[in-house]
Amino acid sequence: MTVLVEAIGVTKHFPVKAGSLFRRTTLALRAVDDVALRIEAGETLGLVGESGCGKSTLGRLLIRLLEPSSGNIFFDGKDISDLAGKALRNQRRAMQIIFQDPFGALNPRMTVEDIIAEPRLIHGARADAATRQAVTQMLELVGLPERARDRYPHEFSGGQRQRIGIARALVLRPRFVVCDEPVSALDVSVQAQIVNLLQDLQAELGLTYLFIAHDLGVVKHISTRVAVMYLGKVVELAEKRALYTAPRHPYTQGLIAAVPVSHPLARQRRERITGDIPSALHPPSGCRFHTRCPYAMPICREQEPKTTQPVPGHQVACHLVGDG
Ligand code: SF4
């Protein structure tokens, strides 16, 4: 398999002002800390974790919508970490994002045609027959009728608006798409339709996805592999089947215990996670999960666990898990 996107030591700290007017200090909100991962061409890497764990920030870093504080990002073997200006704009054609809130992401004063055509115009295409044809193709691909082009976002349902958002993200024919919680704001009945559409488009257009969600139930269907994030760190990454059937990290085990299952016999005896995720302004020492981990040991408070591979392709950062 070819690696399309790679992050090495990627870190993003946001400066935050704190204290009184006279004793103002600047703290670092450690949204993403020293993350390394690879996304293979044609796969869907699911990225899960609670709100505030840094998963959306990581998605935006990978497509350079945010500047990393340190670390390197590679796309198709090329280091894109320091790209700027025209070179970055050109690179962006290959890397797009689908947002969580389709209504908030679409300009209410633009017609669907203008919304979908806009990325092409920003990248130098003309508002001509070719752009009109590109919009027609995208409407067809995402399952919207031709007559939708002259209408406005408020005239559509949530699922249809997300289809417009997907058409806009794909009109430049990117290779890599960050799907940032694309179904979280939709009714459960519509979620499966959008997930299926994304899968069909992946097969048809040869796309590679990073699919972000806050619960493991949503990413199970679509992902090839799944990465679990906690407080700015990737704590476990594995093939989907291995992660769901034999999770190694206590946090992943807790997330799986929280996924609703219909049959009582299918419920596994796993510890559920209690308490709230700590602030990324003051992450706990050692293993960041130690304040909520049912298996925490003294070493967990002092020493950050290294990422190990108990079996090939299964990465875990926990003192309980050693290399295989
Ligand atoms: Fe729990 Fe310690 Fe493993 Fe962290 S390193 S997940 S605190 S056992």
Side-chain angles (χ1 to χ4, degrees):
M1 269 290 194
T2 319
V3 174
L4 185 64
V5 180
E6 181 169 14
I8 299 177
V10 168
T11 296
K12 181 69 183 176
H13 292 177
F14 294 100
V16 174
K17 298 247 185 277
S20 69
L21 205 56
F22 302 102
R23 284 184 166 214
R24 188 133 286 206
T25 51
T26 304
L27 300 172
L29 188 138
R30 297 160 76 165
V32 172
D33 235 343
D34 195 19
V35 164
L37 54 79
R38 293 170 160 198
I39 305 175
E40 290 168 3
E43 82 163 331
T44 297
L45 179 70
L47 181 62
V48 296
E50 293 161 284
S51 295
C53 72
K55 54 194 188 302
S56 289
T57 303
L58 178 59
R60 283 163 171 74
L61 287 166
L62 294 182
I63 57 172
R64 289 291 322 275
L65 277 183
L66 285 173
E67 285 293 304
S69 306
S70 60
N72 295 81
I73 298 153
F74 295 84
F75 186 91
D76 216 4
K78 185 173 96 181
D79 191 342
I80 62 165
S81 322
D82 297 321
L83 287 187
K86 194 163 176 240
L88 181 56
R89 261 200 314 281
N90 286 341
Q91 180 60 42
R92 286 235 174 88
R93 294 180 74 100
M95 314 183 301
Q96 293 291 315
I97 184 166
I98 298 166
F99 294 99
Q100 174 184 357
D101 173 11
F103 200 52
L106 305 176
N107 186 333
R109 282 186 285 274
M110 287 169 80
T111 63
V112 168
E113 174 163 45
D114 290 346
I115 288 169
I116 298 174
E118 190 179 46
R120 273 179 64 90
L121 305 184
I122 290 169
H123 282 267
R126 296 214 182 101
D128 56 11
T131 293
R132 205 170 155 74
Q133 176 61 18
V135 172
T136 302
Q137 276 177 1
M138 292 318 303
L139 287 172
E140 205 174 301
L141 270 173
V142 301
L144 286 171
E146 172 68 19
R147 64 178 183 282
R149 67 193 312 143
D150 297 320
R151 292 163 62 188
Y152 291 86
H154 72 269
E155 299 177 61
F156 295 88
S157 67
Q160 288 170 324
R161 284 199 290 264
Q162 192 54 292
R163 287 175 193 264
I164 300 167
I166 293 169
R168 179 183 163 90
L170 300 187
V171 73
L172 290 172
R173 299 301 170 112
R175 296 170 65 196
F176 175 54
V177 181
V178 171
C179 307
D180 189 4
E181 305 223 29
V183 297
S184 303
L186 303 177
D187 288 347
V188 176
S189 58
V190 183
Q191 288 184 357
Q193 292 171 20
I194 296 297
V195 169
N196 289 340
L197 171 66
L198 287 169
Q199 281 188 306
D200 292 346
L201 292 169
Q202 181 173 41
E204 191 161 343
L205 305 176
L207 299 168
T208 303
Y209 291 145
L210 177 74
F211 192 101
I212 299 171
H214 56 259
D215 99 68
L216 273 162
V218 174
V219 296
K220 188 172 186 180
H221 185 62
I222 195 168
S223 303
T224 319
R225 296 183 301 148
V226 178
V228 178
M229 258 187 111
Y230 186 78
L231 215 51
K233 297 265 182 192
V234 171
V235 296
E236 185 161 11
L237 193 160
E239 290 283 330
K240 172 172 70 177
R241 205 178 142 73
L243 191 109
Y244 283 86
T245 56
R248 307 278 184 135
H249 196 283
Y251 181 57
T252 314
Q253 292 169 359
L255 287 181
I256 288 176
V259 175
V261 285
S262 50
H263 198 289
L265 291 178
R267 284 182 199 134
Q268 304 213 25
R269 285 175 189 277
R270 291 213 167 98
E271 300 271 1
R272 296 187 76 146
I273 305 159
T274 53
D276 294 325
I277 191 166
S279 166
L281 281 172
H282 306 285
S285 59
C287 171
R288 292 181 180 191
F289 188 54
H290 84 249
T291 53
R292 301 168 79 192
C293 179
Y295 311 107
M297 307 167 284
I299 189 179
C300 304
R301 279 180 270 282
E302 287 149 24
Q303 215 172 299
E304 189 176 338
K306 290 198 170 66
T307 299
T308 57
Q309 286 211 40
V311 289
H314 196 143
Q315 299 170 25
V316 192
C318 172
H319 288 302
L320 288 172
V321 183
D323 272 316

